[in-house]
Amino acid sequence: MYQLYWNPDTGAFAPHAVLEEVGAAYELKRVDTTKGEHRTPEFLALNPRGQIPALTLPDGTVISESAAMILHLADAHPATGLLPPPGDSARAQAYRWLFFLVANIYEADLRYYYADRYTEDAAGRDGVRAAGARQMRDSFAIVERALDP
């Protein structure tokens, strides 16, 4: 059985949705960041960066990074057809857009909502937030152009 360590409004949303989609047996383990549970020795043993989510695989292996979880779950449950077959160009496009979302949109979202993580200077937070908003706009424009050629 999988165990997904999650909290609302985190990167756990996507792997949670994929667990549901593939019909895998899983258990949710909430990690309440408002109580500092992501900084406990127990959670840091799972994910040394203290970030949510973390996923324990049925064999006991723990992985972090939402995109890695999504790819692993799709590969571990190929009958669901969440990813095209290996070697197919459609699979390459799925990889492209998954990593584009992680590297551009999700990262920009983090800078916008958590600007204090990206600067030691309180006066710099507004600039970090503005840069995050600009990157989100630019990235969504790329997605829109791809969807409406």
Side-chain angles (χ1 to χ4, degrees), residues 1-17 19 25-33 37-48 50-58 60-66 69 73 106:
M1 175 185 298
Y2 294 97
Q3 294 178 321
L4 179 64
Y5 294 83
W6 75 286
N7 201 39
D9 301 323
T10 68
F13 174 81
H16 187 189
L19 283 163
Y26 69 92
E27 177 183 7
L28 291 175
K29 295 196 167 255
R30 185 163 184 190
V31 180
D32 191 339
T33 56
E37 292 175 359
H38 61 306
R39 297 287 179 214
T40 64
E42 295 80 17
F43 187 73
L44 292 172
L46 299 172
N47 187 344
Q51 293 179 326
I52 298 168
L55 180 68
T56 302
L57 307 181
T61 302
V62 179
I63 62 174
S64 60
E65 305 305 327
S66 297
M69 293 173 200
L73 291 167
Y106 186 57

Side-chain angles (χ1 to χ4, degrees), residues 1-134:
M1 175 185 298
Y2 294 97
Q3 294 178 321
L4 179 64
Y5 294 83
W6 75 286
N7 201 39
D9 301 323
T10 68
F13 174 81
H16 187 189
V18 174
L19 283 163
E20 282 289 322
E21 189 66 28
V22 301
Y26 69 92
E27 177 183 7
L28 291 175
K29 295 196 167 255
R30 185 163 184 190
V31 180
D32 191 339
T33 56
T34 65
K35 295 179 181 175
E37 292 175 359
H38 61 306
R39 297 287 179 214
T40 64
E42 295 80 17
F43 187 73
L44 292 172
L46 299 172
N47 187 344
R49 294 198 66 209
Q51 293 179 326
I52 298 168
L55 180 68
T56 302
L57 307 181
D59 70 1
T61 302
V62 179
I63 62 174
S64 60
E65 305 305 327
S66 297
M69 293 173 200
I70 291 166
L71 292 174
H72 174 77
L73 291 167
D75 285 344
H77 302 276
T80 61
L82 288 180
L83 283 176
D88 190 303
S89 62
R91 188 178 182 108
Q93 287 298 321
Y95 285 171
R96 172 193 178 198
W97 288 110
L98 176 62
F99 288 101
F100 179 86
L101 291 169
V102 170
N104 295 284
I105 294 174
Y106 186 57
E107 180 60 29
D109 179 80
L110 290 174
R111 273 190 265 137
Y112 183 80
Y113 288 103
Y114 302 100
D116 57 306
R117 295 180 185 175
Y118 295 87
T119 181
E120 297 297 322
D121 179 8
R125 289 185 186 137
D126 288 343
V128 170
R129 189 170 284 115
R134 180 184 38 76

